[in-house]
Each structure stands twice: as structure tokens, then as C-alpha cells.
Amino acid sequence: MATRRTTTKPSKNTPPAPVACSPCDGSGMVSATVRVGRKRRPVGQQDGLCLNCLGSGTNPDA
């Protein structure tokens, strides 16, 4: 009787994909409305670093 040749299957233990941060949607940047004047009217938006993920774009709680 001939010997059987078996091949090993590759493992399916792939690491999970990183979960995107919800405030910045994974970009690492958030925009804040800039207000000026006595009545605090909005004039534009300013980009800044996301304080939830500190610019990495991944959810720190996951």
C-alpha cells in the first residue's frame, strides 16, 4: 500500500482589522467650528488632532 501525501492547510488565524475611531472616522483629524465676535458667529472650521485616538485613527478601546 502506498503512503498518503497530505498537505497542511494554511492557518486561518488572521489578525482582526483595526477598528476605526468614531469621532475622526479613521483619519486622525477632526474639524472644529471657529467662532468670532460678540455674538459668537461661526466663520469657518479649523482642523486639529483627534483627542480620542491621538491621531492614530484606530479606536483605543477596541
Short mmCIF file of all heavy atoms in Angstrom, two decimals:
data_model
loop_
_atom_site.label_atom_id
_atom_site.label_comp_id
_atom_site.label_asym_id
_atom_site.label_seq_id
_atom_site.Cartn_x
_atom_site.Cartn_y
_atom_site.Cartn_z
N MET A 1 0.82 -1.17 0.00
CA MET A 1 0.00 0.00 0.00
C MET A 1 0.88 1.25 0.00
O MET A 1 1.86 1.33 0.74
CB MET A 1 -0.89 -0.04 1.23
CG MET A 1 -1.84 1.09 1.30
SD MET A 1 -2.94 0.77 2.68
CE MET A 1 -4.10 1.97 2.34
N ALA A 2 0.54 2.19 -0.87
CA ALA A 2 1.33 3.41 -1.00
C ALA A 2 1.04 4.36 0.17
O ALA A 2 -0.05 4.37 0.73
CB ALA A 2 1.01 4.09 -2.32
N THR A 3 2.04 5.16 0.50
CA THR A 3 1.85 6.12 1.60
C THR A 3 1.07 7.33 1.10
O THR A 3 1.17 7.73 -0.06
CB THR A 3 3.21 6.59 2.14
OG1 THR A 3 3.93 7.20 1.09
CG2 THR A 3 4.00 5.42 2.71
N ARG A 4 0.28 7.90 1.97
CA ARG A 4 -0.52 9.07 1.62
C ARG A 4 0.29 10.34 1.80
O ARG A 4 1.00 10.51 2.78
CB ARG A 4 -1.75 9.17 2.51
CG ARG A 4 -2.81 8.21 2.17
CD ARG A 4 -3.99 8.52 3.05
NE ARG A 4 -5.21 8.18 2.36
CZ ARG A 4 -6.41 8.35 2.85
NH1 ARG A 4 -6.55 8.88 4.04
NH2 ARG A 4 -7.45 8.01 2.17
N ARG A 5 0.14 11.21 0.87
CA ARG A 5 0.77 12.52 0.98
C ARG A 5 -0.30 13.52 1.40
O ARG A 5 -1.30 13.69 0.71
CB ARG A 5 1.39 12.97 -0.32
CG ARG A 5 2.58 12.16 -0.70
CD ARG A 5 3.20 12.74 -1.93
NE ARG A 5 4.32 11.93 -2.36
CZ ARG A 5 5.05 12.18 -3.40
NH1 ARG A 5 4.76 13.22 -4.17
NH2 ARG A 5 6.05 11.41 -3.71
N THR A 6 -0.09 14.17 2.48
CA THR A 6 -1.05 15.17 2.93
C THR A 6 -0.37 16.54 2.94
O THR A 6 0.81 16.66 3.23
CB THR A 6 -1.56 14.85 4.35
OG1 THR A 6 -0.45 14.81 5.24
CG2 THR A 6 -2.28 13.51 4.38
N THR A 7 -1.14 17.52 2.59
CA THR A 7 -0.62 18.88 2.64
C THR A 7 -1.27 19.60 3.81
O THR A 7 -2.43 19.36 4.14
CB THR A 7 -0.94 19.65 1.34
OG1 THR A 7 -2.35 19.67 1.16
CG2 THR A 7 -0.28 19.00 0.15
N THR A 8 -0.53 20.46 4.41
CA THR A 8 -1.09 21.21 5.54
C THR A 8 -1.80 22.45 5.02
O THR A 8 -1.33 23.13 4.11
CB THR A 8 0.03 21.64 6.50
OG1 THR A 8 0.98 22.43 5.79
CG2 THR A 8 0.72 20.43 7.10
N LYS A 9 -2.94 22.70 5.61
CA LYS A 9 -3.71 23.88 5.23
C LYS A 9 -3.14 25.10 5.93
O LYS A 9 -2.70 25.01 7.08
CB LYS A 9 -5.18 23.70 5.60
CG LYS A 9 -5.87 22.61 4.83
CD LYS A 9 -7.31 22.53 5.22
CE LYS A 9 -8.01 21.44 4.44
NZ LYS A 9 -9.42 21.32 4.84
N PRO A 10 -3.16 26.25 5.27
CA PRO A 10 -2.68 27.46 5.95
C PRO A 10 -3.63 27.82 7.09
O PRO A 10 -4.84 27.60 7.01
CB PRO A 10 -2.70 28.52 4.85
CG PRO A 10 -3.60 27.99 3.80
CD PRO A 10 -3.56 26.52 3.90
N SER A 11 -3.07 28.37 8.14
CA SER A 11 -3.91 28.71 9.29
C SER A 11 -4.82 29.89 8.95
O SER A 11 -4.46 30.79 8.20
CB SER A 11 -3.03 29.07 10.48
OG SER A 11 -2.31 30.25 10.20
N LYS A 12 -6.01 29.86 9.51
CA LYS A 12 -6.97 30.92 9.26
C LYS A 12 -7.03 31.90 10.42
O LYS A 12 -8.00 32.59 10.62
CB LYS A 12 -8.35 30.32 9.01
CG LYS A 12 -8.41 29.51 7.74
CD LYS A 12 -9.80 29.05 7.44
CE LYS A 12 -9.81 28.27 6.13
NZ LYS A 12 -11.14 27.88 5.74
N ASN A 13 -5.98 31.97 11.19
CA ASN A 13 -5.91 32.87 12.33
C ASN A 13 -5.35 34.22 11.89
O ASN A 13 -4.28 34.63 12.30
CB ASN A 13 -5.05 32.28 13.44
CG ASN A 13 -5.67 31.05 14.03
OD1 ASN A 13 -6.87 30.86 13.92
ND2 ASN A 13 -4.87 30.21 14.65
N THR A 14 -6.10 34.93 11.05
CA THR A 14 -5.65 36.24 10.63
C THR A 14 -6.03 37.25 11.70
O THR A 14 -7.09 37.15 12.32
CB THR A 14 -6.32 36.64 9.29
OG1 THR A 14 -7.73 36.61 9.47
CG2 THR A 14 -5.91 35.70 8.18
N PRO A 15 -5.19 38.21 11.96
CA PRO A 15 -5.50 39.20 12.99
C PRO A 15 -6.68 40.07 12.54
O PRO A 15 -6.86 40.33 11.35
CB PRO A 15 -4.22 40.03 13.09
CG PRO A 15 -3.51 39.81 11.82
CD PRO A 15 -3.90 38.44 11.35
N PRO A 16 -7.51 40.48 13.48
CA PRO A 16 -8.67 41.31 13.11
C PRO A 16 -8.22 42.68 12.62
O PRO A 16 -7.18 43.20 13.02
CB PRO A 16 -9.46 41.42 14.41
CG PRO A 16 -8.47 41.18 15.48
CD PRO A 16 -7.45 40.24 14.90
N ALA A 17 -9.01 43.24 11.72
CA ALA A 17 -8.68 44.56 11.19
C ALA A 17 -8.88 45.60 12.28
O ALA A 17 -9.77 45.48 13.12
CB ALA A 17 -9.58 44.88 10.00
N PRO A 18 -8.04 46.64 12.31
CA PRO A 18 -8.20 47.67 13.34
C PRO A 18 -9.52 48.42 13.16
O PRO A 18 -9.94 48.69 12.05
CB PRO A 18 -7.00 48.60 13.13
CG PRO A 18 -6.49 48.30 11.78
CD PRO A 18 -6.91 46.91 11.44
N VAL A 19 -10.16 48.71 14.27
CA VAL A 19 -11.45 49.40 14.25
C VAL A 19 -11.19 50.90 14.16
O VAL A 19 -10.36 51.44 14.89
CB VAL A 19 -12.24 49.07 15.53
CG1 VAL A 19 -13.57 49.78 15.55
CG2 VAL A 19 -12.42 47.57 15.66
N ALA A 20 -11.88 51.56 13.23
CA ALA A 20 -11.68 52.99 13.03
C ALA A 20 -12.27 53.77 14.19
O ALA A 20 -13.30 53.42 14.76
CB ALA A 20 -12.31 53.43 11.73
N CYS A 21 -11.62 54.85 14.53
CA CYS A 21 -12.08 55.75 15.59
C CYS A 21 -13.35 56.46 15.11
O CYS A 21 -13.42 56.92 13.97
CB CYS A 21 -10.98 56.76 15.89
SG CYS A 21 -11.39 57.97 17.13
N SER A 22 -14.37 56.54 15.98
CA SER A 22 -15.64 57.10 15.54
C SER A 22 -15.64 58.64 15.40
O SER A 22 -16.24 59.14 14.46
CB SER A 22 -16.77 56.66 16.46
OG SER A 22 -16.52 57.09 17.78
N PRO A 23 -15.00 59.42 16.26
CA PRO A 23 -15.04 60.88 16.06
C PRO A 23 -14.36 61.35 14.77
O PRO A 23 -14.82 62.27 14.11
CB PRO A 23 -14.35 61.46 17.27
CG PRO A 23 -14.46 60.41 18.31
CD PRO A 23 -14.43 59.11 17.57
N CYS A 24 -13.24 60.69 14.40
CA CYS A 24 -12.49 61.16 13.23
C CYS A 24 -12.67 60.24 12.02
O CYS A 24 -12.10 60.51 10.96
CB CYS A 24 -11.02 61.28 13.57
SG CYS A 24 -10.20 59.73 13.96
N ASP A 25 -13.40 59.14 12.15
CA ASP A 25 -13.62 58.15 11.08
C ASP A 25 -12.32 57.59 10.53
O ASP A 25 -12.21 57.29 9.34
CB ASP A 25 -14.46 58.75 9.95
CG ASP A 25 -15.87 59.08 10.40
OD1 ASP A 25 -16.40 58.32 11.23
OD2 ASP A 25 -16.43 60.08 9.92
N GLY A 26 -11.32 57.48 11.37
CA GLY A 26 -10.06 56.87 10.98
C GLY A 26 -9.05 57.79 10.34
O GLY A 26 -7.96 57.38 9.98
N SER A 27 -9.37 59.07 10.20
CA SER A 27 -8.43 60.00 9.55
C SER A 27 -7.42 60.58 10.53
O SER A 27 -6.34 61.02 10.14
CB SER A 27 -9.19 61.13 8.86
OG SER A 27 -9.81 61.96 9.83
N GLY A 28 -7.76 60.62 11.82
CA GLY A 28 -6.86 61.20 12.82
C GLY A 28 -7.03 62.70 12.99
O GLY A 28 -6.42 63.31 13.85
N MET A 29 -7.87 63.31 12.15
CA MET A 29 -8.09 64.76 12.20
C MET A 29 -9.58 65.03 12.41
O MET A 29 -10.43 64.36 11.84
CB MET A 29 -7.64 65.43 10.91
CG MET A 29 -6.17 65.24 10.59
SD MET A 29 -5.08 66.01 11.76
CE MET A 29 -5.20 67.69 11.28
N VAL A 30 -9.89 66.03 13.23
CA VAL A 30 -11.27 66.46 13.44
C VAL A 30 -11.33 67.95 13.15
O VAL A 30 -10.34 68.66 13.25
CB VAL A 30 -11.76 66.17 14.87
CG1 VAL A 30 -11.90 64.69 15.11
CG2 VAL A 30 -10.87 66.79 15.89
N SER A 31 -12.51 68.41 12.76
CA SER A 31 -12.66 69.84 12.49
C SER A 31 -13.52 70.46 13.57
O SER A 31 -14.48 69.87 14.06
CB SER A 31 -13.28 70.07 11.12
OG SER A 31 -14.54 69.45 11.06
N ALA A 32 -13.15 71.68 13.96
CA ALA A 32 -13.89 72.42 14.98
C ALA A 32 -14.32 73.74 14.37
O ALA A 32 -13.58 74.37 13.62
CB ALA A 32 -13.01 72.66 16.20
N THR A 33 -15.52 74.17 14.68
CA THR A 33 -16.05 75.43 14.17
C THR A 33 -15.37 76.59 14.88
O THR A 33 -15.27 76.60 16.11
CB THR A 33 -17.57 75.50 14.38
OG1 THR A 33 -18.17 74.38 13.76
CG2 THR A 33 -18.15 76.77 13.79
N VAL A 34 -14.91 77.57 14.11
CA VAL A 34 -14.26 78.77 14.67
C VAL A 34 -15.33 79.85 14.78
O VAL A 34 -16.01 80.16 13.81
CB VAL A 34 -13.11 79.23 13.76
CG1 VAL A 34 -12.49 80.51 14.30
CG2 VAL A 34 -12.07 78.15 13.63
N ARG A 35 -15.49 80.41 15.98
CA ARG A 35 -16.49 81.44 16.22
C ARG A 35 -15.79 82.74 16.59
O ARG A 35 -14.83 82.73 17.35
CB ARG A 35 -17.45 81.02 17.33
CG ARG A 35 -18.21 79.76 17.00
CD ARG A 35 -19.08 79.33 18.16
NE ARG A 35 -19.87 78.17 17.83
CZ ARG A 35 -21.09 78.21 17.30
NH1 ARG A 35 -21.65 79.37 17.04
NH2 ARG A 35 -21.72 77.09 17.03
N VAL A 36 -16.30 83.85 16.08
CA VAL A 36 -15.71 85.17 16.36
C VAL A 36 -16.82 86.16 16.69
O VAL A 36 -18.00 85.93 16.37
CB VAL A 36 -14.89 85.70 15.17
CG1 VAL A 36 -13.71 84.82 14.88
CG2 VAL A 36 -15.75 85.86 13.94
N GLY A 37 -16.43 87.25 17.28
CA GLY A 37 -17.37 88.34 17.54
C GLY A 37 -18.10 88.21 18.86
O GLY A 37 -18.03 87.21 19.55
N ARG A 38 -18.82 89.29 19.18
CA ARG A 38 -19.55 89.33 20.43
C ARG A 38 -20.71 88.33 20.44
O ARG A 38 -21.04 87.75 21.46
CB ARG A 38 -20.07 90.75 20.66
CG ARG A 38 -20.51 90.98 22.07
CD ARG A 38 -20.93 92.40 22.28
NE ARG A 38 -22.36 92.49 21.90
CZ ARG A 38 -22.95 93.57 21.47
NH1 ARG A 38 -22.25 94.68 21.29
NH2 ARG A 38 -24.22 93.58 21.16
N LYS A 39 -21.34 88.12 19.29
CA LYS A 39 -22.46 87.18 19.19
C LYS A 39 -22.00 85.77 18.85
O LYS A 39 -22.83 84.89 18.65
CB LYS A 39 -23.46 87.68 18.15
CG LYS A 39 -24.12 88.98 18.55
CD LYS A 39 -25.14 89.38 17.55
CE LYS A 39 -25.81 90.68 17.95
NZ LYS A 39 -26.83 91.08 17.00
N ARG A 40 -20.69 85.58 18.76
CA ARG A 40 -20.08 84.28 18.51
C ARG A 40 -20.61 83.63 17.24
O ARG A 40 -21.07 82.51 17.23
CB ARG A 40 -20.30 83.35 19.70
CG ARG A 40 -19.85 83.90 21.05
CD ARG A 40 -18.41 84.21 21.13
NE ARG A 40 -17.64 82.97 21.14
CZ ARG A 40 -16.34 82.91 20.96
NH1 ARG A 40 -15.67 84.00 20.72
NH2 ARG A 40 -15.73 81.78 20.98
N ARG A 41 -20.51 84.34 16.14
CA ARG A 41 -20.97 83.81 14.86
C ARG A 41 -19.90 82.90 14.26
O ARG A 41 -18.70 83.19 14.36
CB ARG A 41 -21.34 84.93 13.89
CG ARG A 41 -20.20 85.84 13.55
CD ARG A 41 -20.65 86.99 12.67
NE ARG A 41 -19.60 87.97 12.57
CZ ARG A 41 -18.59 87.92 11.70
NH1 ARG A 41 -18.52 86.93 10.85
NH2 ARG A 41 -17.67 88.84 11.69
N PRO A 42 -20.29 81.80 13.62
CA PRO A 42 -19.30 80.90 13.01
C PRO A 42 -18.75 81.49 11.70
O PRO A 42 -19.49 82.01 10.88
CB PRO A 42 -20.09 79.63 12.74
CG PRO A 42 -21.51 80.05 12.72
CD PRO A 42 -21.63 81.26 13.58
N VAL A 43 -17.43 81.42 11.53
CA VAL A 43 -16.80 81.94 10.31
C VAL A 43 -16.10 80.86 9.51
O VAL A 43 -15.76 81.08 8.36
CB VAL A 43 -15.80 83.07 10.63
CG1 VAL A 43 -16.51 84.27 11.19
CG2 VAL A 43 -14.72 82.59 11.58
N GLY A 44 -15.84 79.70 10.08
CA GLY A 44 -15.14 78.65 9.34
C GLY A 44 -14.85 77.47 10.24
O GLY A 44 -15.38 77.36 11.34
N GLN A 45 -14.00 76.59 9.73
CA GLN A 45 -13.62 75.42 10.51
C GLN A 45 -12.11 75.29 10.54
O GLN A 45 -11.43 75.69 9.60
CB GLN A 45 -14.23 74.16 9.93
CG GLN A 45 -15.72 74.08 10.12
CD GLN A 45 -16.28 72.74 9.71
OE1 GLN A 45 -15.67 72.00 8.96
NE2 GLN A 45 -17.45 72.42 10.25
N GLN A 46 -11.62 74.73 11.62
CA GLN A 46 -10.19 74.54 11.82
C GLN A 46 -9.94 73.06 12.08
O GLN A 46 -10.65 72.43 12.86
CB GLN A 46 -9.74 75.37 13.01
CG GLN A 46 -8.28 75.27 13.34
CD GLN A 46 -7.93 76.16 14.52
OE1 GLN A 46 -8.81 76.73 15.17
NE2 GLN A 46 -6.66 76.28 14.80
N ASP A 47 -8.92 72.48 11.43
CA ASP A 47 -8.58 71.07 11.64
C ASP A 47 -7.66 70.94 12.84
O ASP A 47 -6.82 71.80 13.11
CB ASP A 47 -7.88 70.48 10.42
CG ASP A 47 -8.82 70.26 9.26
OD1 ASP A 47 -10.02 70.07 9.53
OD2 ASP A 47 -8.37 70.25 8.11
N GLY A 48 -7.83 69.84 13.55
CA GLY A 48 -6.98 69.56 14.70
C GLY A 48 -6.82 68.07 14.91
O GLY A 48 -7.50 67.25 14.28
N LEU A 49 -5.95 67.71 15.80
CA LEU A 49 -5.65 66.32 16.12
C LEU A 49 -6.80 65.72 16.92
O LEU A 49 -7.34 66.36 17.82
CB LEU A 49 -4.36 66.25 16.94
CG LEU A 49 -3.79 64.90 17.26
CD1 LEU A 49 -3.26 64.26 15.99
CD2 LEU A 49 -2.65 65.05 18.24
N CYS A 50 -7.19 64.51 16.59
CA CYS A 50 -8.27 63.82 17.31
C CYS A 50 -7.75 63.44 18.69
O CYS A 50 -6.75 62.76 18.83
CB CYS A 50 -8.72 62.58 16.54
SG CYS A 50 -10.00 61.65 17.38
N LEU A 51 -8.46 63.90 19.72
CA LEU A 51 -8.01 63.63 21.09
C LEU A 51 -8.45 62.25 21.57
O LEU A 51 -7.95 61.77 22.58
CB LEU A 51 -8.56 64.70 22.04
CG LEU A 51 -8.03 66.10 21.76
CD1 LEU A 51 -8.66 67.09 22.72
CD2 LEU A 51 -6.52 66.14 21.89
N ASN A 52 -9.35 61.60 20.87
CA ASN A 52 -9.77 60.26 21.25
C ASN A 52 -8.70 59.24 20.90
O ASN A 52 -8.35 58.38 21.71
CB ASN A 52 -11.09 59.90 20.57
CG ASN A 52 -11.67 58.60 21.07
OD1 ASN A 52 -11.61 58.32 22.26
ND2 ASN A 52 -12.23 57.83 20.18
N CYS A 53 -8.15 59.31 19.69
CA CYS A 53 -7.15 58.32 19.27
C CYS A 53 -5.75 58.92 19.14
O CYS A 53 -4.81 58.23 18.78
CB CYS A 53 -7.56 57.71 17.93
SG CYS A 53 -7.61 58.90 16.57
N LEU A 54 -5.62 60.20 19.40
CA LEU A 54 -4.34 60.93 19.32
C LEU A 54 -3.71 60.82 17.94
O LEU A 54 -2.50 60.68 17.79
CB LEU A 54 -3.37 60.46 20.40
CG LEU A 54 -3.83 60.74 21.82
CD1 LEU A 54 -2.87 60.13 22.81
CD2 LEU A 54 -3.99 62.21 22.08
N GLY A 55 -4.54 60.88 16.91
CA GLY A 55 -4.05 60.92 15.54
C GLY A 55 -3.74 59.59 14.90
O GLY A 55 -3.37 59.54 13.73
N SER A 56 -3.91 58.48 15.61
CA SER A 56 -3.58 57.18 15.02
C SER A 56 -4.70 56.68 14.10
O SER A 56 -4.45 55.92 13.19
CB SER A 56 -3.30 56.15 16.11
OG SER A 56 -4.49 55.87 16.83
N GLY A 57 -5.95 57.09 14.37
CA GLY A 57 -7.07 56.68 13.54
C GLY A 57 -7.71 55.36 13.95
O GLY A 57 -8.71 54.96 13.39
N THR A 58 -7.14 54.69 14.94
CA THR A 58 -7.72 53.43 15.41
C THR A 58 -8.40 53.66 16.75
O THR A 58 -7.99 54.51 17.53
CB THR A 58 -6.66 52.32 15.57
OG1 THR A 58 -5.67 52.79 16.49
CG2 THR A 58 -6.01 52.00 14.23
N ASN A 59 -9.42 52.86 17.04
CA ASN A 59 -10.17 53.01 18.27
C ASN A 59 -9.33 52.49 19.43
O ASN A 59 -8.93 51.32 19.46
CB ASN A 59 -11.48 52.23 18.17
CG ASN A 59 -12.42 52.54 19.28
OD1 ASN A 59 -12.10 53.25 20.22
ND2 ASN A 59 -13.61 52.00 19.19
N PRO A 60 -9.04 53.31 20.45
CA PRO A 60 -8.20 52.85 21.55
C PRO A 60 -8.90 51.87 22.48
O PRO A 60 -8.25 51.15 23.21
CB PRO A 60 -7.86 54.15 22.29
CG PRO A 60 -8.95 55.08 21.94
CD PRO A 60 -9.40 54.71 20.55
N ASP A 61 -10.24 51.81 22.44
CA ASP A 61 -10.99 50.91 23.33
C ASP A 61 -11.16 49.51 22.76
O ASP A 61 -11.61 48.62 23.45
CB ASP A 61 -12.36 51.51 23.63
CG ASP A 61 -12.24 52.83 24.36
OD1 ASP A 61 -11.25 53.02 25.10
OD2 ASP A 61 -13.13 53.68 24.17
N ALA A 62 -10.84 49.34 21.48
CA ALA A 62 -11.04 48.04 20.85
C ALA A 62 -9.86 47.12 21.02
O ALA A 62 -8.80 47.42 21.34
CB ALA A 62 -11.31 48.20 19.36
#
